[in-house]
Amino acid sequence: MKHALTMAAVLLAMSRQQPALAQGSADTLVKQAIAAEGGAELRGLKGLAIQGDAKFWEPGQAFAAGGEPRFLGDATFAITWDLANSTARTAWDRDQKYPEPVKMKYAETVLPRLGFVTDDKGSLPMSGIRVAAHQRELERASPWLLVKAMDESGNVHAAGSQRLGPQSLPAVSYTDGGTTFTILFDRKTHLPAAVRTRDDDNINGASNYDLVLADWKPAGGAQIAHSLSYRINDVEVAKLTYRDVTANPTIPAGAFSVPDAVKAAAKPPATGNVPYQWVLRRLFLTRFTDSDNIIFPDGGGLKLVELAPNVQHVEGGTANNLIIAMKDHLVIFDAPYGELQSRWVIDAAKAKYPGKPIRYLVLTHHHMDHTGGMRTYVAEGAKVIVPTPDKAYFEKDVRAPRTLVPDDLQKKPRTADILEVKDQMTLKDDTAEIRLYNIANPHVQGFLIAHIVGPNLLYVTDLISPRGPIERSEGTVAVGEFVRKYGITGATIAGGHGTTVKQSDIAPTLAAN
């Protein structure tokens, strides 16, 4: 008690002196911020109960390359947060709009050594990468972050001035375990303005990921930000708004109890190069495969499925490739996720067709789940074919540094040869003919469908995904209009997701009426 009173007196005195204090000292910046957040009251803040709502966006799913981020959906949430024990349970009620309308309810419980997800079917352990991502984000948003930084002053260093939008703000860096947080401070209020990490993004490379804090309100004697905006390179990807905050709530016994089935299969938080951005933003998209294999489910794996002589479909992951062997070279379609899948596909293609280099990588459209591994093919020497108007977007991707997790192109830089298809392009030799068409569609601006003429195969991403019943949609109608325009009948459709389907089997879904 005596210590708390002494600390309170010191911080109160500091808060009265704030205008005269230099802003360059890391120690001063942290102490000013703690005083502004409530001083000694922060240590008395042992837990929070929070209710609020959220919105999510994804720039990598924009309609136009580099355009406005795609709105993904809304949610409401309720957090029970034991700050003292670094444990939280968040109950979500999601109203997803994209990629398709769906409503879902589930809860995420995160403890120091594990995490699990609960819905109406029961509870399942989180993958290690998901646990690690949630733990980092809980710490980033925690009112205790600065208290920890003050208690571990040896891990705090001045970080100069940092840009946040148009502002230049004083900052400190605080390293906790394997994570370095850069904390930016408001020059007038001394409150934290943003908490930043440097993350590897599969399109933008080394990027700033910021939690921008605003709308500070009192709770239990402390100040709590009620507006939390998450931004990748200043582009908002999530917005959480706290509507009701209760300090030091009574947490029911068993609120964080771990089911026995979860205990038996629980995974510790991953370490090393955790793909934070992939985890978080695929969760925002409700398309996250909760697996430490990242690109395929537990127990699964990538595989080559021969669709015709010299045509291989890469299946088993969250998104697919198509490999076509020409007379003296290879053409590969799409580059899902990142270097992990691209390296597997390149090695598998070389083993299957020895002596044939990869001459072309064809990207059907710019969305990140089909293009994040593009740079590996550039490093391999492949020319990249993209739909108009996407060339500039991919040139920027090639230039973006990959200094946090260096890929093949970062290690061995080379110039990219990127070709655009405005309307049509044909790749043809003595053994195969591939016709590329840039078609109008509701999914994205700039979209290539491939017709491999000999075996009569169509490669279609997203507009049709053969992984269950295919219902009529604007996307299937766009494919229907395309096949009618070019007189394509009896084809097999290979999906950028899922497996294959016969054109004749889904004829009703392709019809305009």
Side-chain angles (χ1 to χ4, degrees), residues 247-271:
N248 297 323
T250 299
I251 298 177
F256 309 116
S257 295
V258 182
D260 290 339
V262 169
K263 290 178 183 177
K267 298 178 181 179
T271 58

Side-chain angles (χ1 to χ4, degrees), residues 225-421:
H226 283 53
S227 172
L228 295 83
S229 174
Y230 292 84
R231 305 176 187 178
I232 185 80
N233 296 327
D234 287 330
V235 176
E236 189 168 52
V237 292
K239 175 69 176 293
L240 274 61
T241 302
Y242 293 173
R243 300 300 182 194
D244 183 72
V245 178
T246 301
N248 297 323
T250 299
I251 298 177
F256 309 116
S257 295
V258 182
D260 290 339
V262 169
K263 290 178 183 177
K267 298 178 181 179
T271 58
N273 293 326
V274 177
Y276 290 109
Q277 283 306 307
W278 182 257
V279 174
L280 294 170
R281 287 162 59 198
R282 294 295 285 184
L283 286 171
F284 297 164
L285 191 64
T286 66
R287 283 297 185 273
F288 177 60
T289 299
D290 206 348
S291 164
D292 287 315
N293 298 308
I294 304 175
I295 57 176
F296 52 81
D298 289 337
L302 299 177
K303 60 183 179 181
L304 297 181
V305 177
E306 187 164 280
L307 303 184
N310 295 322
V311 180
Q312 306 291 326
H313 199 209
V314 179
E315 299 178 6
T318 56
N320 302 332
N321 306 76
L322 193 70
I323 303 169
I324 297 141
M326 309 290 276
K327 182 178 180 180
D328 59 2
H329 65 275
L330 303 177
V331 179
I332 296 181
F333 283 80
D334 283 344
Y337 174 64
E339 189 155 82
L340 181 64
Q341 180 156 336
S342 292
R343 188 75 265 157
W344 188 97
V345 173
I346 290 169
D347 292 345
K350 287 181 176 181
K352 182 70 176 178
Y353 303 108
K356 293 189 177 185
I358 300 168
R359 184 173 296 175
Y360 297 107
L361 170 70
V362 181
L363 298 178
T364 55
H365 63 302
H366 72 271
H367 286 172
M368 84 286 196
D369 53 328
H370 295 282
T371 61
M374 177 267 289
R375 289 168 50 95
T376 311
Y377 291 91
V378 174
E380 196 70 20
K383 297 180 180 180
V384 182
I385 298 175
V386 303
T388 298
D390 291 353
K391 182 178 180 179
Y393 178 84
F394 287 108
E395 288 176 336
K396 183 179 178 182
D397 184 352
V398 169
R399 293 193 301 268
R402 295 311 201 267
T403 51
L404 296 175
V405 184
D407 61 8
D408 286 352
L409 190 59
Q410 182 72 29
K411 296 171 186 174
K412 297 179 181 179
R414 66 186 301 160
T415 302
D417 191 353
I418 301 178
L419 311 173
E420 273 190 339
V421 179

Side-chain angles (χ1 to χ4, degrees), residues 2 46 52 71 102 105 111 124 138 165 179 283 300 389 405 451:
K2 181 179 179 181
K46 304 298 184 182
F71 177 62
V102 63
K105 293 183 180 182
L111 296 86
L124 291 173
L138 282 171
T179 299
L283 286 171
V405 184
H451 184 209

Side-chain angles (χ1 to χ4, degrees), residues 415-456:
T415 302
D417 191 353
I418 301 178
L419 311 173
E420 273 190 339
V421 179
K422 182 178 180 181
D423 297 306
Q424 298 180 38
M425 177 185 287
T426 299
L427 305 175
K428 183 179 180 180
D429 65 12
D430 295 342
T431 60
E433 180 178 356
I434 304 169
R435 297 175 183 173
L436 305 176
Y437 301 88
N438 189 347
I439 74 163
N441 70 97
H443 186 60
V444 68
Q445 181 185 32
F447 188 96
L448 297 180
I449 282 184
H451 184 209
I452 300 88
V453 177
N456 197 18

